[in-house]
Amino acid sequence: KAARDELKQGRDPLKEKIEVDLTIRDVPAFGPFADEFVNGQATAFRNDKHIAQWRMTLTKYAAPIRKKAIDEIDTNDILGILEPLWQTKPETAHRLRGRIERVLNAAKVKGLRSGENPAAWRGHLEFLLPKRAKLTRGHFAAMPYMDVPAFIRDLKRREGLAARALEFLILGACRSGEVRHLQWSELDMNAKIWTVPKERMKAGRPHRVPLTDRMIAILREIEQMKLNEQYVFVGPNKHRPFSDAALGVVLKRMKIENCTVHGFRSSFRDWVGDNTNFPREVAEAALAHMVGDATERAYRRGDAFSKRRNLMEVWGEFCRSGQQS
């Protein structure tokens, strides 16, 4: 009877009860909680770019759930975010899923939600979305290693710093960001060693790269130009390194299709496995990949540098095999 009287007076007792319950729960929305989580984790990230990537993905791509209470987010919400990206931007979708999972795990630890994590892959989303490996096969399309020597021959004929940077990258089996941001202070050309700082390494630890004779020759050539006192491979304005797309432009201008800059690392790895007797561990160390579990890595603290130097010299000779005398 009391409820009917309240309705006659224009009040909705059920709605008022829900509003009171929400006030008592004081559960934050996903957006503010995610922002707070990233800020709290900032010191654990490798660099400012990594932090910015987290913030961007959790703001732009997770926009549909940012205003939703963090304890009300379910599997349908996660699928609604991931499915549009899963086929078109698989790498972005994969990272976004993992980041949302971590945010929701943190919310559970703080007692803000319960039950299974709707962004979890194993035992959950793996049954609803195609495996990432099937989506990204060929994502970094690689040139067959037997074609690399002829490509290097043509590349050497091209003028411009971007062409030299790409050649340097191939000879060192390096990642684009490592080469584009190479600084003179990282080089010991007498010892023929380049030490990439941990901030630019994917594994977050310093990596020594043995410099071959051709790599040294490229560096000496650029050194004579006196373009920049800090960076080796500078862009058009001579004050900043090349952009992320600059090396890919070289491939486009050479009309190289079905091949990416990153794919040359795969070309190198295939060549090692098919054409040499160098151990797998040496090849993986040359690519700065982490091999084995934590215990195995603890016992093998060296970086196999002398063996890697031999490997890179043989790789350099192979790359020169397409040159005409």
Side-chain angles (χ1 to χ4, degrees):
K1 185 179 183 304
R4 287 196 295 271
D5 292 340
E6 290 180 357
L7 286 172
K8 289 180 181 179
Q9 297 173 11
R11 297 173 57 190
D12 186 341
L14 180 59
K15 181 179 179 182
E16 290 176 3
K17 182 178 183 301
I18 292 174
E19 290 175 349
V20 170
D21 287 345
L22 286 174
T23 302
I24 295 173
R25 287 196 310 129
D26 194 26
V27 177
F30 177 86
F33 185 86
D35 295 341
E36 182 181 345
F37 174 81
V38 174
N39 291 336
Q41 295 289 315
T43 57
F45 292 121
R46 291 196 303 270
N47 50 50
D48 291 342
K49 181 179 179 181
H50 198 193
I51 299 172
Q53 289 173 341
W54 268 72
R55 287 176 175 153
M56 185 278 291
T57 53
L58 290 175
T59 300
K60 178 180 178 180
Y61 296 115
I65 62 171
R66 282 187 64 83
K67 293 182 179 180
K68 190 167 186 176
I70 203 161
D71 65 340
E72 294 179 354
I73 295 171
D74 58 22
T75 301
N76 287 331
D77 293 319
I78 304 302
L79 288 175
I81 293 171
L82 295 180
E83 285 179 334
L85 298 171
W86 205 253
Q87 299 286 348
T88 58
K89 297 182 178 180
E91 185 69 21
T92 299
H94 166 73
R95 292 179 179 178
L96 175 63
R97 185 209 60 76
R99 290 165 186 171
I100 294 175
E101 181 182 17
R102 284 188 61 182
V103 171
L104 296 181
N105 278 341
K108 184 176 181 179
V109 170
K110 289 191 173 186
L112 297 174
R113 60 176 292 123
S114 59
E116 298 299 323
N117 191 321
W121 176 256
R122 184 169 297 180
H124 189 58
L125 292 181
E126 65 175 324
F127 300 118
L128 301 174
L129 293 168
K131 291 183 179 179
R132 177 170 169 258
K134 292 183 179 179
L135 291 175
T136 58
R137 183 179 297 127
H139 181 58
F140 294 118
M143 178 179 291
Y145 64 80
M146 66 283 295
D147 295 338
V148 172
F151 172 77
I152 290 286
R153 180 191 64 209
D154 293 341
L155 182 62
K156 290 185 68 174
R157 294 172 178 167
R158 299 190 69 85
E159 297 181 354
L161 215 54
R164 299 290 74 75
L166 180 57
E167 183 184 355
F168 190 91
L169 175 146
I170 296 169
L171 295 173
C174 303
R175 297 181 178 91
S176 174
E178 297 161 10
V179 171
R180 289 184 295 102
H181 292 268
L182 168 60
Q183 299 186 29
W184 292 109
S185 60
E186 300 165 5
L187 298 164
D188 184 341
M189 286 196 274
N190 291 326
K192 300 171 70 173
I193 297 174
W194 165 29
T195 303
V196 189
K198 64 180 182 180
E199 290 77 15
R200 286 215 313 283
M201 294 304 301
K202 187 174 182 179
R205 59 181 182 180
H207 177 59
R208 295 193 299 167
V209 179
L211 299 172
T212 64
D213 289 342
R214 175 56 186 164
M215 294 171 77
I216 290 288
I218 291 172
L219 294 170
R220 293 296 187 194
E221 178 184 344
I222 298 171
E223 188 178 36
Q224 295 299 315
M225 299 178 187
K226 301 184 185 303
L227 298 174
N228 188 287
E229 294 184 356
Q230 181 179 5
Y231 295 106
V232 176
F233 299 107
V234 291
N237 65 11
K238 303 296 187 292
H239 297 295
R240 295 176 59 83
F242 279 117
S243 68
D244 188 40
L247 304 190
V249 170
V250 177
L251 292 177
K252 290 182 180 179
R253 288 176 177 171
M254 295 177 71
K255 295 181 170 42
I256 300 297
E257 300 178 353
N258 300 320
C259 173
T260 64
V261 172
H262 194 85
F264 283 105
R265 286 166 55 85
S266 295
S267 305
F268 166 79
R269 186 64 184 85
D270 290 343
W271 168 82
V272 177
D274 292 351
N275 281 34
T276 79
N277 294 320
F278 285 95
R280 167 181 172 272
E281 291 78 10
V282 176
E284 294 299 313
L287 294 168
H289 286 166
M290 300 181 73
V291 180
D293 58 22
T295 302
E296 183 180 355
R297 292 195 297 270
Y299 281 98
R300 190 177 62 245
R301 296 179 182 275
D303 60 358
F305 188 78
S306 61
K307 294 179 180 178
R308 288 196 290 116
R309 183 180 290 285
N310 292 336
L311 170 60
M312 302 318 291
E313 288 175 352
V314 176
W315 169 243
E317 292 173 2
F318 170 76
C319 290
R320 288 189 58 201
S321 65
Q323 298 180 29
Q324 297 177 342
S325 58

